[in-house]
Amino acid sequence: MGMERRFGWASFAAATTMALAAGVTAAPAAHSADDPVQIVVDGNDVRAGNVNGLTYKGLGLLSCNSTSNLLMDYKAEHPDRYWQLVRVLFGGRNPLINHVKIEMGSDTNTSTGSDPATMRTAEELADASRSPGFQLAADAKTVNPKLKVSILRWVMPQWVQTEWNKGTGTDEMYKWYKETILDAYQKYGYMVDYVDPDTNETTKPDISFIKWYKNALTNDTEFADPRYGLTPRQQRAAATAYHDIKIVASDENTTKNIGPAMLTDTELFGMVDAVGYHYTTEDRLDGAPDSATYRPYTKLATGDSAEGEDKEVWYSEGVGSFGWTDYRVNNTEGPGGASTGIGGVQSALDLANRSVKSYANSKRTHYIFQPAIGAFYEGAQYSHKELVSARDPWSGSIHYDAAVYVMQHFTQFARTGWENDTNTAGVWRTVPEASYSGAGGTENVDGSNGAPSYMTLADPKKRDFSTIAVNDSDRARSYRIKAENMDLGTDPAMEVWETRAADPGEAYDANFKHLAAEIRPDADGSYTYTVKPRSIVTFTTLDRSHDKATNQRLPRTAARTVLDTDATGKRHDTRDGVLYADDFGYEEEGRVQVGTDNGARTVTQPYLASRGNQPRYLVDQTGAWEVGEDADGDNVLYQYLDQSMKDTGAWNRNTPNTTVGDFRWENYKASVDVSFPDPQGGLATLGVRQQKGMAATDAAYGIGIGPSGKWTFSRYGTAIRTGTVAASDSYRLAVEARGATVTAYVDGQAVTTYQDPTPATEGRVKLGTDFHRTAFDNLKVEKVAGYTPYATALTDNMDGSVGYDGTWSRNASLGDAMNWYRSTSTATTAGATVTVPFRGTGIDVIGGNDGSAVLDVSVDGRPVVRDARTAATDKRQATYSLRGLPDGRHTVTFTLKSGKIVLDGFTAISGDVDGRVDTTPLRAALEAVGSPDRADYTADSWALFATARSATRAAVSGQRGLDTLGVEQLAGRLGAAYAGLVREEA
């Protein structure tokens, strides 16, 4: 293909190779840390003829393994918030996301959970609406019709897997792909743009099948099969679009084999349009410089191949921001215990450096987040690794991380996307000679060394350019940018847009993506600017200072209201005794708006039809959980994965289970009807207080039963009690958890009660089965009379409202996914204090602890507990609980007396208590302590006693929000304070 340069393509390719070897991926000319980084943006380096490899496609998102499960609930419950999210991520002149990649599900857990299989058997008609990724793409196309859609597989449905294992499954694989693609086309009006025929994260690309699939795709003429549901007009259009599908390969992770294979296999080269690999910024570097194994992806992108054609190179799966930037800015990971701001390993600036370095070192012009949207319950593997968190569809709360602003520095100051066939779309080119990254690391990128890190994008007509510079260090870094052979017009002014953390006294987002300066070239045509520590800037010749979209702030995060509904499960209602209910009929749900006609319009569809019969609020970890009709024609929830479907190659293999509810639920009774329509057998389980994990056994307490009537009560999967009731094909199971007491029921009769010495106190509801078709109906979660049902709010340990004094280590980089927002604060030095404001009747200290910490506790400036022992707890569990406070605003201070304390978060306890609370223990405690004389005791010990007695008296007189656990704690604190009175020496 032609080049707008003074030498031919072969000469250009040779020159490119020489340039890359000579310095494009090497450090800029030697300079001290204080010298400006010199960048020359030369119009002769803007390769307008390179339409695949150097066009900047921008960003994509991956929808897979349950990460999008709750999005369709947002759409139904809070459509305004959902469609706002669609506009923020996909809309506008400069969309953030240009591509939705869908990993086709197999009802098995391939990471954080399972996505439904579009075809569970060879005979079943494909149903793409089961998978939220296909509908998300359809809706995104309503604001960006040019959005690309791609699919790939990881694990296959068993009917495909069985034949594939025999070495004869190519036809089955093709059928699964084709019928899914055509179903999405029939329902939503778009044709998938790319297919990766190979398995996700392979180490050995299946080149023979890639070729087989491409030939099958090209030569397929059958579009009239009634299974496809296409009208004659649709058949003609579908055939044309289907034959235009491009091939991407091979989504490797730890290997880089497809690049060399393409450079040495002419047939393969001609068949594959894009190459992608995961979780590293680097090219392959073995062999001689002219070999296929030395910088193969750079050669593919730049056209340095025997064919002289450039190919797309993708970072086809990468992470989002780990944790919430709101919180991690309060870390102590910088020099001398300072914060790293919005930077540090696995931060928003790390994402920026990944994009820069993966381009500089391997010429990848497209970064796909896995995921960009976290719409699954926290506590599953890889939690808090996204740009946007959408986990409470009942509240509509959505959190847009500061990483969105950071990534807008790449997408809002260039025209991104894919070039058209005539090369007239004006998509900006990346400029290798004006791009470089010296940041350390290959997956988790560390910019603390202060080395230059920058990437340049340019208008193919050379009229404008933008250079993104990332400084994830604690030192300022100056840049000196010079434009040569560019047509910048009569006003060569450059805008400088910046994102960094707030200065002291400023609002958290005060410095997010704002116009920091307007600069002009000096006498020699250079723009000079100093980039502040821990920041990203975009230098652009575009005029965006008055552009509304560029200046638009992201939506604020709404409160995460606890799931507390009426008996329909639809309407928020804190006044009744129901927390949540679902009869799986959904008469209370209205119609849902769905994008169709390739984004040209939307239609409204019935609730269940719009979502492929997927139930409300359930996030599947394994299994095919779907609403269907029972023998009487009533809707029930089925788990369909049976013995004929179970033997697939799941990455995280578990028996089928699904999760529903709010992580803040504490004292409640969950119940559900279960039945066993599979004549081969079955098992149904109901669990409560699930906080993390992806198995049915990750519920703290649960009961399971089969048609024989044998039941088992378990704690985290370990059997505590067993028994037998009369055999039946249906039962009603229930588990009630109130404080440390847990009771299991079968058909309304208590079968066992367990007193847990170290109780798990909060969490969601779990449903589970074995591999038999099993039915569930009439799920209900109810409050327990006399007990607080839930915590109202979680305050992260790094929230700005939390105050620390003394020696603390506050860490977020490389944080554990099982810690809230991947952050913890740790103290081992006596005297360290933490102060937390909250509203409620008590507070839980959450964190994985060894039980060695001893605490003093004061509330609102008064001592409440001295020498309080903490419990040895797993992550996300309460190591210490304080109850019995008057409902209202309080400030609590915890002082470490000895041992080690790890803080993850704090949950504030609700004052919503239904039913009568017995205060007899309080009156008994007051009577037991009598009326000691203050003059007889030391001031210090009397202060604690006086506070406890005053609180107990107030509670007896009537205290809003007091519950049974509060009564127990108040009585215990009074008794302990009385026992701890110290007499004055005579």
Side-chain angles (χ1 to χ4, degrees):
M1 66 184 55
M3 289 298 301
E4 297 179 2
R5 297 201 64 179
R6 57 181 176 271
F7 41 75
W9 178 260
S11 298
F12 162 69
T16 299
T17 303
M18 292 170 59
L20 291 169
V24 173
T25 57
H31 57 79
S32 73
D34 297 327
D35 287 339
V37 179
Q38 305 284 347
I39 304 174
V40 176
V41 181
D42 189 338
N44 291 332
D45 295 327
V46 180
R47 299 167 179 83
N50 183 309
V51 298
N52 299 307
L54 298 182
T55 48
Y56 187 60
K57 293 94 186 157
L59 308 173
L61 68 78
L62 179 55
S63 177
C64 61
N65 49 65
S66 85
T67 58
S68 300
N69 274 24
L70 296 174
L71 277 181
M72 296 304 106
D73 294 311
Y74 271 89
K75 184 194 243 188
E77 308 302 318
H78 291 273
D80 55 332
R81 301 281 175 83
Y82 173 82
W83 290 102
Q84 181 185 54
L85 178 147
V86 168
R87 292 191 299 271
V88 168
L89 294 186
F90 304 102
R93 179 177 59 181
N94 299 94
L96 181 75
I97 304 293
N98 283 324
H99 173 197
V100 173
K101 175 181 175 181
I102 302 163
E103 188 177 292
M104 293 201 296
S106 62
D107 299 312
T108 56
N109 189 325
T110 51
S111 188
T112 54
S114 60
D115 261 21
T118 55
M119 295 175 66
R120 296 192 173 109
T121 66
E123 294 75 29
E124 183 183 33
L125 295 179
D127 188 354
S129 66
R130 289 174 180 165
S131 175
F134 285 100
Q135 191 167 153
L136 176 63
D139 294 340
K141 278 180 169 286
T142 65
V143 297
N144 180 9
K146 296 180 180 179
L147 178 103
K148 300 295 184 183
V149 182
S150 69
I151 63 171
L152 82 165
R153 62 182 164 92
W154 191 345
V155 177
M156 318 166 207
Q158 187 167 333
W159 65 276
V160 181
Q161 182 79 62
T162 299
E163 297 305 315
W164 191 261
N165 290 346
K166 298 176 184 176
T168 58
T170 54
D171 289 340
E172 286 77 12
M173 186 77 74
Y174 184 79
K175 177 178 181 177
W176 178 37
Y177 276 44
K178 179 183 179 180
E179 295 197 14
T180 298
I181 291 168
L182 294 182
D183 186 66
Y185 181 82
Q186 189 271 332
K187 285 184 168 72
Y188 305 121
Y190 67 78
M191 182 61 67
V192 164
D193 298 283
Y194 291 85
V195 172
D196 182 351
D198 207 350
T199 187
N200 180 56
E201 297 197 343
T202 181
T203 58
K204 296 179 180 179
D206 192 342
I207 292 171
S208 63
F209 182 64
I210 293 171
K211 291 180 178 180
W212 184 95
Y213 184 86
K214 175 62 175 179
N215 284 322
L217 185 78
T218 301
N219 297 316
D220 195 341
T221 59
E222 175 53 70
F223 295 92
D225 192 318
R227 290 180 60 85
Y228 308 151
L230 301 174
T231 66
R233 181 178 178 181
Q234 287 176 321
Q235 292 166 20
R236 291 189 294 273
T240 300
Y242 188 80
H243 292 140
D244 287 339
I245 291 175
K246 295 182 178 181
I247 300 298
V248 56
S250 59
D251 280 280
E252 294 172 78
N253 186 5
T254 58
T255 57
K256 307 184 189 84
N257 293 321
I258 194 67
M262 287 181 62
L263 291 174
T264 55
D265 186 330
T266 301
E267 183 183 27
L268 180 67
F269 186 95
M271 290 181 166
V272 175
D273 302 280
V275 295
Y277 55 108
H278 303 177
Y279 301 118
T280 178
T281 57
E282 302 308 294
D283 208 330
R284 188 165 170 175
L285 296 171
D286 50 304
D290 61 349
S291 71
T293 55
Y294 188 81
R295 299 196 188 281
Y297 298 95
T298 295
K299 289 172 180 173
L300 288 169
T302 58
D304 181 21
S305 65
E307 288 75 14
E309 180 183 349
D310 53 283
K311 296 288 186 178
E312 300 179 38
V313 184
W314 298 355
Y315 198 130
S316 53
E317 182 175 323
V319 299
S321 182
F322 286 77
W324 285 16
T325 303
D326 315 40
Y327 300 144
R328 67 174 296 147
V329 295
N330 295 315
N331 66 54
T332 58
E333 297 170 321
S339 167
T340 61
I342 64 170
V345 176
Q346 296 187 338
S347 67
L349 291 185
D350 178 339
L351 296 189
N353 268 327
R354 291 177 202 231
S355 291
V356 172
K357 192 170 184 179
S358 64
Y359 174 71
N361 287 15
S362 49
K363 300 300 167 289
R364 283 183 279 180
T365 54
H366 188 40
Y367 187 103
I368 302 174
F369 291 101
Q370 203 293 86
I373 307 170
F376 59 101
Y377 293 132
E378 299 101 330
Q381 186 170 254
Y382 303 131
S383 295
H384 304 300
K385 186 193 71 171
E386 64 264 345
L387 304 184
V388 179
S389 298
R391 293 186 162 93
D392 297 333
W394 48 86
S395 72
S397 179
I398 297 176
H399 176 265
Y400 296 85
D401 192 78
V404 174
Y405 287 117
V406 168
M407 299 315 296
Q408 284 176 341
H409 278 266
F410 294 85
T411 61
Q412 287 199 332
F413 303 96
R415 178 172 291 182
T416 64
W418 279 256
E419 259 299 349
N420 58 28
D421 293 338
T422 57
N423 194 13
T424 56
V427 174
W428 283 27
R429 272 41 171 190
T430 53
V431 185
E433 294 81 358
S435 304
Y436 169 80
S437 179
T442 59
E443 178 186 350
N444 297 312
V445 179
D446 184 359
S448 62
N449 61 8
S453 185
Y454 56 89
M455 178 179 179
T456 298
L457 313 173
D459 170 19
K461 295 185 177 179
K462 309 176 186 180
R463 294 171 300 191
D464 284 293
F465 72 93
S466 297
T467 297
I468 305 103
V470 187
N471 182 13
D472 192 6
S473 78
D474 297 293
R475 302 181 299 279
R477 165 65 72 186
S478 293
Y479 281 81
R480 190 170 174 83
I481 304 173
K482 186 176 182 179
E484 295 180 350
N485 300 310
M486 297 287 291
D487 181 14
L488 302 182
T490 58
D491 182 8
M494 175 176 279
E495 295 178 353
V496 182
W497 289 79
E498 175 192 65
T499 293
R500 58 185 175 87
D503 293 328
E506 290 184 328
Y508 158 74
D509 60 351
N511 296 319
F512 290 171
K513 207 192 66 182
H514 68 286
L515 181 61
E518 293 190 23
I519 57 178
R520 291 183 173 275
D522 59 18
D524 77 345
S526 295
Y527 304 86
T528 302
Y529 188 82
T530 299
V531 180
K532 294 180 179 179
R534 305 292 183 181
S535 70
I536 181 173
V537 301
T538 298
F539 304 98
T540 184
T541 59
L542 296 170
D543 181 3
R544 292 295 171 86
S545 59
H546 300 293
D547 181 67
K548 182 178 179 181
T550 306
N551 286 281
Q552 181 67 46
R553 310 317 288 165
L554 293 171
R556 294 287 183 179
T557 304
R560 299 186 67 178
T561 308
V562 178
L563 179 57
D564 184 352
T565 73
D566 62 10
T568 69
K570 172 72 172 178
R571 287 178 289 275
H572 183 69
D573 186 353
T574 62
R575 296 168 297 178
D576 65 0
V578 176
L579 281 178
Y580 182 62
D582 194 344
D583 63 3
F584 306 104
Y586 302 119
E587 290 84 0
E588 67 278 359
E589 295 285 355
R591 295 176 69 85
V592 178
Q593 198 173 27
V594 178
T596 189
D597 283 359
N598 197 37
R601 66 189 181 97
T602 61
V603 296
T604 61
Q605 296 178 348
Y607 179 81
L608 279 173
S610 75
R611 51 199 285 136
N613 293 312
Q614 298 304 292
R616 182 175 58 200
Y617 298 168
L618 266 64
V619 174
D620 303 341
Q621 263 71 56
T622 297
W625 299 86
E626 193 166 300
V627 175
E629 291 187 353
D630 65 10
D632 296 325
D634 296 324
N635 280 358
V636 298
L637 173 67
Y638 284 109
Q639 194 294 111
Y640 284 105
L641 209 62
D642 62 16
Q643 296 292 305
S644 71
M645 306 175 191
K646 70 174 183 176
D647 291 324
T648 61
W651 190 31
N652 296 311
R653 187 161 180 80
N654 286 305
T655 54
N657 68 98
T658 189
T659 310
V660 64
D662 199 302
F663 70 91
R664 294 162 292 190
W665 285 350
E666 291 204 347
N667 302 295
Y668 61 89
K669 182 178 182 179
S671 58
V672 68
D673 294 330
V674 300
S675 57
F676 308 98
D678 190 334
Q680 297 185 52
L683 172 73
T685 65
L686 170 67
V688 300
R689 291 182 176 171
Q690 181 273 346
Q691 195 62 248
K692 65 184 183 67
M694 301 181 294
T697 54
D698 290 312
Y701 313 101
I703 186 169
I705 197 168
S708 69
K710 182 178 180 179
W711 57 264
T712 301
F713 173 77
S714 302
R715 183 185 190 275
Y716 286 119
T718 299
I720 302 295
R721 306 272 194 279
T722 61
T724 304
V725 298
S728 176
D729 59 2
S730 64
Y731 304 95
R732 184 158 186 84
L733 301 181
V735 182
E736 180 184 75
R738 43 189 176 88
T741 304
V742 184
T743 303
Y745 300 82
V746 177
D747 291 335
Q749 298 297 312
V751 293
T752 188
T753 295
Y754 173 66
Q755 194 75 20
D756 194 340
T758 56
T761 57
E762 293 180 344
R764 308 176 186 92
V765 170
K766 273 271 191 190
L767 303 178
T769 72
D770 59 5
F771 289 99
H772 292 89
R773 186 160 65 98
T774 308
F776 297 80
D777 201 4
N778 299 313
L779 173 67
K780 183 177 286 189
V781 185
E782 300 171 277
K783 301 173 184 178
V784 178
Y787 288 82
T788 300
Y790 45 69
T792 53
L794 171 78
T795 301
D796 190 67
N797 72 94
M798 286 200 186
D799 189 273
S801 67
V802 181
Y804 290 85
D805 195 17
T807 304
W808 290 87
S809 175
R810 309 182 65 200
N811 299 316
S813 295
L814 303 173
D816 192 317
M818 293 304 104
N819 290 323
W820 282 101
Y821 310 110
R822 294 180 177 255
S823 67
T824 54
S825 295
T826 304
T828 57
T829 303
T833 68
V834 58
T835 300
V836 187
F838 69 97
R839 180 167 190 161
T841 61
I843 190 167
D844 286 344
V845 180
I846 307 297
N849 279 275
D850 60 10
S852 66
V854 177
L855 307 173
D856 281 351
V857 185
S858 64
V859 176
D860 302 329
R862 295 182 177 182
V864 173
V865 183
R866 290 211 177 96
D867 297 323
R869 305 296 306 188
T870 57
T873 48
D874 197 1
K875 292 178 173 65
R876 296 190 185 236
Q877 296 295 337
T879 189
Y880 178 76
S881 297
L882 180 68
R883 296 290 189 275
L885 304 178
D887 191 14
R889 296 186 183 278
H890 302 284
T891 300
V892 61
T893 298
F894 301 98
T895 301
L896 181 65
K897 297 287 289 295
S898 61
K900 174 184 177 181
I901 186 72
V902 179
L903 303 179
D904 185 7
F906 308 89
T907 48
I909 308 306
S910 168
D912 177 16
V913 181
D914 293 345
R916 180 180 174 275
V917 177
D918 184 6
T919 58
T920 301
L922 298 180
R923 289 188 289 272
L926 286 169
E927 184 176 346
V929 301
S931 301
D933 190 339
R934 177 175 183 174
D936 293 339
Y937 301 98
T938 62
D940 188 50
S941 65
W942 183 263
L944 185 65
F945 173 76
T947 299
R949 184 171 62 176
S950 176
T952 305
R953 286 172 173 172
V956 168
S957 300
Q959 180 171 297
R960 183 179 178 275
L962 182 66
D963 79 336
T964 302
L965 298 180
V967 168
E968 293 173 1
Q969 280 208 15
L970 282 168
R973 289 201 293 268
L974 179 58
Y978 178 71
L981 285 172
V982 178
R983 288 190 174 273
E984 288 280 11
E985 294 183 5

